[in-house]
Amino acid sequence: MYSFEVDKPGSVEAAVAALQIEEAMALGGGQTLIPTLKQRLASPSRLVSLAGIAEMKGVSAVDGVVTIGGGTPHATVAREAAGAYPALAALAGNIGDPAVRNRGTIGGSLANNDPAACYPSAALASGATIVTSSREIAADDYFQGMFTTALHEGEIVTAVRFPVPQAASYQKFEQPASRFALVGVFLARFAEGVRVAVTGASEDGVFRWSEAEEALNKEFRADALTGLAIAPENMIADLHGTKEYRAHLVSVMTKRAIRAVG
Amino acid sequence: MSEVRIVVNGVERVGVVEGRTLLSGFLRDGLGLTGTHVGCDTSQCGACVVHVDGQAVKSCTMFAVEADGRSVDTIEGQAAPDGTLNAIQQAFQDHHGLQCGFCTPGMVMSAAALLKENPTPGEAEIREYLEGNLCRCTGYHNIVKAILAASGQDVAAIAAE
Amino acid sequence: MPKDHGIGASPKRREDVRFLSGTGNYTDDINLNGQAYVHFLRSDVAHGRIDRVDTAAAAAMPGVVRIFTGADFEGVGGLPCGWQVTDRHGQPMAEPGHPVLAQGKVRHVGDPIAAVVADTYEQARDAAEAIELDIEELPAVVDMKAALRDGAPKVHDDLAGNLCYDWGFVEENREAVDKAIKEAAHVTTLELVNQRMVANPMEPRVAVGDYNRATGDHTLYTTSQNPHVIRLLMGAFVLGIPEHKLRVVAPDVGGGFGTKIFHYAEEAFCTFAAKAVNRPVKWTSSRSEAFMSDAHGRDHVTKIELALDAENNFVALRTDTHANMGAYLSTFAPSVPTWLHGTLMAGNYKTPLIYVNVKAVFTNTVPVDAYRGAGRPEATFQLERVIDKAARELGVDPVALRRQNFITEFPYATPVAVEYDTGDYNATMDKLIEIGDFAGFAARRAASEAKGKLRGLGVNCYIEACGIAPSNLVGQLGARAGLYESATVRVNATGGLVVMTGSHSHGQGHETAFPQVIAEMIGIDESMVEIVHGDTANTPMGMGTYGSRSLAVGGSAMVRATEKIINKAKRIAAHLMEASESDIELKDGQFSVAGTDKSVAWGDVTLAAYVPHNYPLEDIEPGLEETAFYDPSNFTYPSGAYACEVEVDPETGRVTIERMTAADDFGNIVNPMIVSGQVHGGLAQGIGQALLEGCVYDENGQLLSASYMDYAMPRADDLPFYTVDHSCVTPCTHNPLGVKGCGEAGAIGSPPSVVNAVVDALQSAGRDVTHIDMPLSPARVWAALQG
């Protein structure tokens, strides 16, 4: 790693101020950032740790909305959201491994927007609101492609508000080595309609499978997807799967999600 | 450079570290607690697992300054002061749950975290919990068996020595 | 009743206490006063000409002690190859130089170009980035067949091409085999890949060099399976340090699986640099660095043809293999696809005619060498896959086809130059069918199908040649080293023993198992025996631990030395009891005179040896310490039968291992607990190869599977509980313990049964799938299902 200092501000305001320094970077749980730093793929002058900001931690459920502080570790979400939003809790409880879940945070995951990360699919499928240090961003506007989001320099994800659907399921098919999603499908069924978000699959990062949503809004059963297919062109191809395989898995995982929510 | 105060295995330790000093580096190089091992650089192998404030973390993926003011438990603090192995350690020895020993400290620390959360986990729960701990020697058979045994469950029916 | 001590007992491992309490002593735990750290600047291109390496700016960076480049090693030897293979035409293999630091060219991603020694690791890394480097990238060769084509880029400009050797075995059989295949009633042909693997011991490699300017003594601490081999190779061939001035210490070693056999550039560098900078120099590999600097394994591309007569008897076998050597010849690389592979092609079967052709090829990839099983898994995989395919083509039961062709009489001389001493392949097959509950398979398949899954059962046999080997034989085959093993048994005055062995454990539990043998021989408690290993300063010259040889060869040396001890002790006892030497018996730690009630205890005799007051000094020297070197007269031949049951999800192609069963014949067993553990670990590695692991380069020689994010290591939830058995015992006839070795069996025996099982599952659903190349990832299985 290159040399840097670590700041540990106690408030969002102080963190935002600290991030004004040239080449400063926010440090969430560090589960992606620290391996990146070890490879010397980033050279921050200063890391601003968000771990000590109490206002960014915790899970609450009020009026059909689950709000998760941006600095909340996955393990806490898995535990504390289990009652209010079981599919989200299950997703959080299957990110990485237990030790990673004790450190990695939802804010860090959403800020990084890895194309194979789990959380972006939940945020997008739930129609979540990403609350930052300066504004609120609808999930539909937030994700802008692989590792790209609507966040500005120095902007911090302080909370995420998830409207709780009537029913939801996350189906993850793991990449055998990293255990990230080779394809992950989050399906959320609201009174207003069904939202299907897909992670792991696309070169454009997480996306909504709108054709599937339309079909399911007409008829909510796995058979409704018959004849629907994702075009392989924009899918990711790598060691672990071809474009065609990923496109196929999107269908399979979506059907499984439909069956899981009944 | 900044000063950190970390309670390690019940004793407050003071050190001066760089921002980039990992907790694993502080334990190994700063304190000479070389039982915590480093087997990868992508936060996957789990040889470095310790407990911070009672929770399992990968000490190679956390900075020492982030542990300032907190309590860290390592493999060196698991046995009784007279050296008597704790129940998990003893089960690993009884059931041959280790061979080269390199992954073992992380395995024991992860097993301890699991049994704290779930005192009688089933085989599948154990295997799933160990997702972040790689072992290249044992094929995991005897590790899983040892953890079942450490939780007081009967392992007589599990095949092989 | 299981025994509670001695041979056949399973005492708890004594080494576990330190490993479980965090007090092991691995190489990275060693820090010497004043040590500096080295970081290697490695090539990021697969093939290139080094036009300029300018270290001036980097050398002025903070903390830099000195920067080394290839130029600093021009007068120094290269890394030697320990085995010379002679080709079909009687010519020696092509043997390129292998400099410690690259000279003129880089030949694979990871090839070290410069080494920065600095006060801290990060300073060394900072300075490495400041080295100015001009490398003209050259076209790379990655694919072996492409590398052999005319006009292919040459990995080594001074060689005729990229062919290392074209080996034929047994060359005299070639025409007869061709004829038999042409005339056979049925020929089954299979083309397959045995993919490149990365051994991945959990402890990455580490080297710490130290030099004492006052005495001229060098010390190297290193993660090695065989410190004496490193001392000999590095001292004699690379650095020119006589062995009495060079000590190599391998303390606790965190797994090896072959990849810690070889002598590596980093070891030579740290030893060399410690003298040059007059400070200890330490290198600790990161895992990312390990992927591009540890020798890889396997990487064979094979076509195999099995010919059968009208009664389904095997009549001939022909194989044609391309074996990847990588960019340089690693220490024992040439032996792996040849003598450790071709000699095993008979397997468990009485095929009368066999011809093996192997073309070893240089490519712009990391060197390839022995990985758990080394050559024998490659032989077993192709043979057991082609037999399975033949059975399916002929519509016969795969087990029956194997049984029909089993070797049943021993000793048996194969047509590929080895003689199996003992075995009972029907016995292990019977055991397999019993413990694998083959009778229940149909019901289990039905249950899987009811869930929408496919279920398959795959079976295979294996034989391996291990406990290597007779030195005079391997010398004829090209080994540039002996392959004996050694032990010094030192008995202390108060009766305790210390065994200094040339074997070295990297997880096998020698400190526990070896004392069981001595305890049995003398009739004392195991706690009276201590094992010393891993340090050339205090152990006799030995060849180390690999090839399942520690007990078969090292243990035999220990037995021989202990026999000498007992013989001498009996003479002393005879004197003490004023009896004839021939009447002395040793049992339960007591020497007695046959037919009398006279006896003296072991401790009385050992005390007399060191306090020789009442002692026949004119006839017997004082003291009780003996050394033996044991050189076996043959390999040992463990064998077994394995079965795998898989479930395949037809929607995703995902394969899960439902049952994995191993019935092995390891000869006599010293510690059943440790033996089972060895099999378990081997099974996981074999399943890992079959389903998960694979080292992949792109066409430019960039390593795509360069970390655990892309190289799929088997994890706990990828694997089931295994069923293993080693109650079928045909003792080895030529070593004193009757043992055969168990370290590699699991990795050799499991991949074919996994693949056979998946093929069985797919065929059960009517799919015309006869082979899928490993690893059988979900993507590949799904693709196979699409037809």
Side-chain angles (χ1 to χ4, degrees):
Chain A
M1 281 178 274
Y2 296 106
S3 185
F4 49 78
E5 294 299 317
V6 179
D7 269 352
K8 296 195 287 181
S11 68
V12 171
E13 190 183 0
V16 168
L19 284 167
Q20 299 309 306
I21 295 168
E22 188 101 351
E23 303 294 322
M25 283 177 82
L27 171 66
Q31 303 302 286
T32 298
L33 180 57
I34 294 175
T36 306
L37 293 169
K38 287 181 189 176
Q39 301 294 331
R40 292 191 162 209
L41 297 175
S43 52
S45 61
R46 182 172 292 260
L47 292 182
V48 179
S49 168
L50 309 178
I53 303 175
E55 60 192 289
M56 279 177 56
K57 285 182 188 287
V59 176
S60 64
V62 180
D63 294 338
V65 175
V66 168
T67 303
I68 298 172
T72 310
H74 312 322
T76 304
V77 177
R79 216 167 35 240
E80 297 183 6
Y85 195 168
L88 180 67
L91 173 149
N94 197 31
I95 296 173
D97 58 62
V100 166
R101 292 196 285 275
N102 284 333
R103 297 286 304 160
T105 64
I106 187 170
S109 173
L110 292 179
N112 189 46
N113 191 22
D114 188 300
C118 296
Y119 265 132
S121 67
L124 190 57
S126 304
T129 300
I130 318 298
V131 182
T132 78
S133 45
S134 56
R135 58 190 167 138
E136 297 190 354
I137 311 170
D140 282 317
D141 303 324
Y142 176 85
F143 299 104
Q144 301 188 345
M146 265 192 195
F147 299 109
T148 309
T149 68
L151 290 177
H152 300 313
E153 283 286 299
E155 192 175 3
I156 300 166
V157 176
T158 57
V160 189
R161 289 204 303 264
F162 290 89
V164 179
Q166 295 166 329
S169 171
Y170 179 59
Q171 297 289 329
K172 177 181 181 183
F173 193 83
E174 289 176 345
Q175 194 256 58
S178 69
R179 303 290 183 98
F180 275 63
L182 190 70
V183 165
V185 174
F186 199 107
L187 182 148
R189 186 177 194 186
F190 292 91
E192 310 83 73
V194 176
R195 292 170 66 103
V196 177
V198 180
T199 188
S202 170
E203 288 177 340
D204 299 325
V206 67
F207 70 97
R208 282 175 67 183
W209 188 12
S210 44
E211 293 87 348
E213 292 177 358
E214 284 165 26
L216 291 170
N217 283 333
K218 286 183 197 135
E219 186 183 21
F220 191 83
R221 50 197 209 100
D223 290 349
L225 298 188
T226 305
L228 279 188
I230 287 271
E233 287 77 48
N234 291 332
M235 296 289 105
I236 296 169
D238 62 13
L239 284 184
H240 309 286
T242 59
K243 290 171 183 286
E244 291 73 20
Y245 183 55
R246 278 190 169 81
H248 166 75
L249 282 181
V250 172
S251 293
V252 173
M253 293 298 121
T254 305
K255 286 177 194 162
R256 288 183 182 182
I258 296 164
R259 288 191 201 103
V261 303
Chain B
M1 304 289 270
S2 51
E3 186 181 277
V4 292
R5 290 173 180 272
I6 304 173
V7 176
V8 179
N9 298 327
V11 178
E12 185 178 77
R13 310 293 294 262
V14 182
V16 176
V17 298
E18 291 186 87
R20 63 185 168 181
T21 302
L22 296 166
L23 178 58
S24 55
F26 177 71
L27 294 169
R28 288 182 55 81
D29 303 330
L31 303 182
L33 293 172
T34 55
T36 296
H37 295 155
V38 177
C40 79
D41 44 15
T42 51
S43 200
Q44 305 247 321
C45 83
C48 67
V49 168
V50 301
H51 295 183
V52 175
D53 290 342
Q55 288 191 322
V57 305
K58 291 184 166 171
S59 64
C60 82
T61 315
M62 176 172 181
F63 295 114
V65 293
E66 295 181 278
D68 186 27
R70 302 174 75 174
S71 167
V72 173
D73 291 296
T74 72
I75 188 69
E76 286 90 346
Q78 297 301 296
D82 70 353
T84 304
L85 301 180
N86 74 17
I88 296 171
Q89 292 169 308
Q90 190 57 57
F92 269 69
Q93 187 188 25
D94 291 348
H95 297 283
H96 192 27
L98 64 154
Q99 291 181 25
C100 83
F102 194 81
C103 76
T104 306
M107 285 288 177
V108 169
M109 298 309 289
S110 281
L114 167 61
L115 296 187
K116 206 162 64 171
E117 280 178 30
N118 181 353
T120 51
E123 180 200 342
E125 289 171 312
I126 294 171
R127 290 185 183 278
E128 195 182 326
Y129 199 89
L130 295 180
E131 183 172 346
N133 291 84
L134 297 177
C135 170
R136 195 58 154 167
C137 293
T138 65
Y140 304 99
H141 181 109
N142 284 336
I143 291 175
V144 178
K145 189 174 172 182
I147 296 171
L148 284 168
S151 69
Q153 302 182 73
D154 184 14
V155 295
I158 296 168
E161 309 284 341
Chain C
M1 265 299 279
K3 290 180 69 175
D4 62 2
H5 73 281
I7 292 175
S10 293
K12 293 171 193 171
R13 293 201 331 167
R14 55 176 73 172
E15 43 276 85
D16 289 359
V17 177
R18 66 177 188 272
F19 295 150
L20 282 162
S21 51
T23 54
N25 182 34
Y26 299 88
T27 309
D28 195 40
D29 301 341
I30 293 169
N31 292 297
L32 303 179
N33 285 332
Q35 86 190 0
Y37 297 81
V38 59
H39 176 71
F40 291 94
L41 175 64
R42 297 179 183 276
S43 178
D44 58 5
V45 299
H47 194 194
R49 193 168 312 286
I50 303 171
D51 290 332
R52 188 174 71 104
V53 184
D54 186 340
T55 60
M61 300 270 290
V64 173
V65 177
R66 189 171 155 187
I67 300 177
F68 297 80
T69 67
D72 294 293
F73 285 83
E74 270 167 14
V76 175
L79 302 173
C81 180
W83 201 298
Q84 184 184 58
V85 165
T86 301
D87 77 3
R88 290 175 53 204
H89 311 293
Q91 298 302 308
M93 67 187 187
E95 191 170 358
H98 187 180
V100 173
L101 295 176
Q103 295 174 356
K105 270 175 83 170
V106 288
R107 297 184 176 87
H108 66 84
V109 169
D111 208 357
I113 299 164
V116 182
V117 178
D119 290 338
T120 71
Y121 168 71
E122 296 290 359
Q123 286 172 334
R125 217 170 151 184
D126 288 341
E129 290 185 7
I131 293 173
E132 293 176 27
L133 203 57
D134 288 341
I135 292 189
E136 180 195 345
E137 192 170 351
L138 301 170
V141 282
V142 178
D143 179 80
M144 287 187 277
K145 289 177 183 171
L148 293 181
R149 283 186 203 121
D150 287 344
K154 276 163 59 169
V155 178
H156 294 277
D157 299 337
D158 54 340
L159 300 182
N162 293 319
L163 181 68
C164 177
Y165 53 74
D166 177 3
W167 184 76
F169 184 68
V170 174
E171 195 59 25
E172 293 71 36
N173 290 350
R174 186 182 178 109
E175 285 176 20
V177 170
D178 289 349
K179 182 165 179 285
I181 288 176
K182 193 176 284 179
E183 295 169 358
H186 184 88
V187 178
T188 296
T189 303
L190 182 60
E191 295 187 35
L192 53 83
V193 174
N194 201 297
Q195 81 273 31
R196 181 180 283 240
M197 301 285 286
V198 183
N200 275 308
M202 293 320 302
E203 178 201 31
R205 287 189 300 118
V206 181
V208 188
D210 191 22
Y211 179 68
N212 184 329
R213 192 173 267 186
T215 62
D217 290 334
H218 296 262
T219 305
L220 170 68
Y221 301 89
T222 183
T223 47
S224 177
Q225 300 173 218
N226 32 240
H228 286 96
V229 174
I230 304 307
R231 185 181 66 166
L232 178 63
L233 293 176
M234 183 174 79
F237 297 97
V238 187
L239 300 178
I241 304 168
E243 284 162 281
H244 64 285
K245 302 304 280 182
L246 174 58
R247 175 183 172 202
V248 178
V249 185
D252 288 329
V253 178
F257 314 109
T259 204
K260 290 178 182 166
I261 297 171
F262 323 120
H263 177 40
Y264 287 97
E266 295 87 356
E267 294 171 322
F269 178 82
C270 289
T271 308
F272 178 88
K275 181 178 179 183
V277 305
N278 198 31
R279 283 172 70 172
V281 173
K282 180 172 185 174
W283 172 69
T284 301
S285 175
S286 69
R287 181 61 60 185
S288 299
E289 207 172 2
F291 271 100
M292 55 180 163
S293 67
D294 290 3
H296 295 169
R298 314 278 193 262
D299 207 350
H300 286 194
V301 175
T302 293
K303 177 182 176 188
I304 181 167
E305 295 157 285
L306 173 66
L308 303 93
D309 67 14
E311 282 77 46
N312 297 341
N313 298 307
F314 301 165
V315 294
L317 185 73
R318 180 168 64 195
T319 80
D320 179 2
T321 288
H322 287 71
N324 206 333
M325 294 286 103
Y328 302 99
L329 289 178
S330 176
T331 309
F332 291 114
S335 67
V336 175
T338 51
W339 300 108
L340 295 176
H341 164 251
T343 52
L344 274 299
M345 283 313 312
N348 311 55
Y349 312 100
K350 48 192 181 199
T351 313
L353 284 167
I354 298 175
Y355 180 72
V356 180
N357 182 236
V358 178
K359 295 179 184 71
V361 185
F362 294 111
T363 61
N364 292 113
T365 60
V366 169
V368 179
D369 206 327
Y371 166 60
R372 200 172 195 169
R376 291 151 287 176
E378 295 91 320
T380 303
F381 184 72
Q382 53 182 288
L383 181 61
E384 294 293 328
R385 281 291 301 122
V386 82
I387 292 171
D388 221 66
K389 188 172 181 228
R392 292 174 191 284
E393 286 174 357
L394 296 165
V396 298
D397 172 31
V399 171
L401 182 63
R402 287 178 169 86
R403 284 190 192 270
Q404 175 182 344
N405 287 282
F406 273 162
I407 295 161
T408 52
E409 289 176 16
F410 297 89
Y412 179 85
T414 73
V416 276
V418 288
E419 183 176 285
Y420 302 162
D421 58 345
T422 54
D424 186 344
Y425 308 143
N426 277 304
T428 47
M429 183 61 84
D430 291 342
K431 178 58 74 175
L432 180 78
I433 289 168
E434 173 203 331
I435 63 175
D437 185 27
F438 282 29
F441 174 71
R444 292 192 293 274
R445 171 173 273 176
S448 294
E449 287 172 351
K451 292 186 297 180
K453 301 286 173 65
L454 311 177
R455 197 177 185 105
L457 170 64
V459 175
N460 69 270
C461 299
Y462 79 91
I463 178 133
E464 57 167 322
C466 58
I468 56 175
S471 292
N472 51 8
L473 173 62
V474 297
Q476 287 170 29
L477 305 183
R480 290 164 167 162
L483 281 169
Y484 47 82
E485 199 45 85
S486 63
T488 294
V489 177
R490 176 179 296 161
V491 186
N492 293 317
T494 54
L497 296 92
V498 180
V499 180
M500 288 145 277
T501 170
S503 293
H504 187 27
S505 176
H506 44 285
Q508 295 88 344
H510 296 180
E511 291 167 48
T512 301
F514 279 24
Q516 291 179 247
V517 174
I518 293 197
E520 180 87 21
M521 291 176 73
I522 300 176
I524 53 175
D525 193 82
E526 283 125 13
S527 64
M528 291 176 68
V529 186
E530 198 70 22
I531 302 298
V532 172
H533 52 187
D535 184 346
T536 61
N538 57 22
T539 56
M541 174 78 177
M543 298 311 291
T545 289
Y546 43 83
S548 307
R549 71 193 299 275
S550 291
L551 192 59
V553 191
S556 295
M558 181 178 69
V559 168
R560 292 284 186 249
T562 306
E563 285 169 353
K564 292 184 190 180
I565 292 281
I566 291 170
N567 287 341
K568 183 172 176 181
K570 281 183 174 175
R571 293 173 66 196
I572 299 168
H575 172 83
L576 293 176
M577 294 186 283
E578 298 176 333
S580 166
E581 204 182 303
S582 58
D583 291 337
I584 304 296
E585 293 170 350
L586 171 61
K587 188 164 184 278
D588 295 335
Q590 293 284 325
F591 295 94
S592 57
V593 182
T596 76
D597 60 357
K598 280 203 254 182
S599 74
V600 287
W602 168 255
D604 296 330
V605 173
T606 63
L607 191 64
Y610 287 95
V611 187
H613 295 165
N614 172 19
Y615 197 89
L617 287 167
E618 59 286 3
D619 295 329
I620 312 177
E621 291 173 17
L624 207 45
E625 175 166 328
E626 299 288 350
T627 294
F629 285 77
Y630 180 82
D631 207 315
S633 61
N634 192 356
F635 297 95
T636 60
Y637 299 95
S639 62
Y642 284 29
C644 178
E645 261 182 67
V646 297
E647 215 171 59
V648 178
D649 178 346
E651 286 188 330
T652 64
R654 182 158 187 266
V655 177
T656 50
I657 305 283
E658 298 298 316
R659 298 168 77 99
M660 189 78 218
T661 311
D664 292 291
D665 174 0
F666 294 134
N668 294 331
I669 304 280
V670 169
N671 184 315
M673 175 190 83
I674 288 176
V675 168
S676 294
Q678 290 293 306
V679 177
H680 296 160
L683 291 173
Q685 275 173 299
I687 293 168
Q689 176 167 20
L691 294 186
L692 294 161
E693 301 177 47
C695 180
V696 181
Y697 284 92
D698 73 9
E699 67 277 12
N700 299 315
Q702 290 294 326
L703 183 58
L704 300 180
S705 54
S707 79
Y708 292 149
M709 297 299 282
D710 284 302
Y711 188 94
M713 290 280 281
R715 306 195 198 206
D717 58 0
D718 291 315
L719 299 162
F721 280 129
Y722 318 104
T723 303
V724 305
D725 179 277
H726 24 81
S727 64
C728 297
V729 173
T730 61
C732 171
T733 56
H734 57 80
N735 67 42
L737 289 165
V739 297
K740 294 185 173 181
C742 65
E744 297 158 295
I748 294 170
S750 52
S753 64
V754 177
V755 179
N756 291 346
V758 173
V759 169
D760 183 56
L762 268 50
Q763 292 195 357
S764 76
R767 308 301 169 92
D768 182 25
V769 174
T770 57
H771 182 69
I772 307 173
D773 273 323
M774 302 185 291
L776 274 59
S777 63
R780 284 188 177 176
V781 174
W782 177 77
L785 279 160
Q786 307 317 300

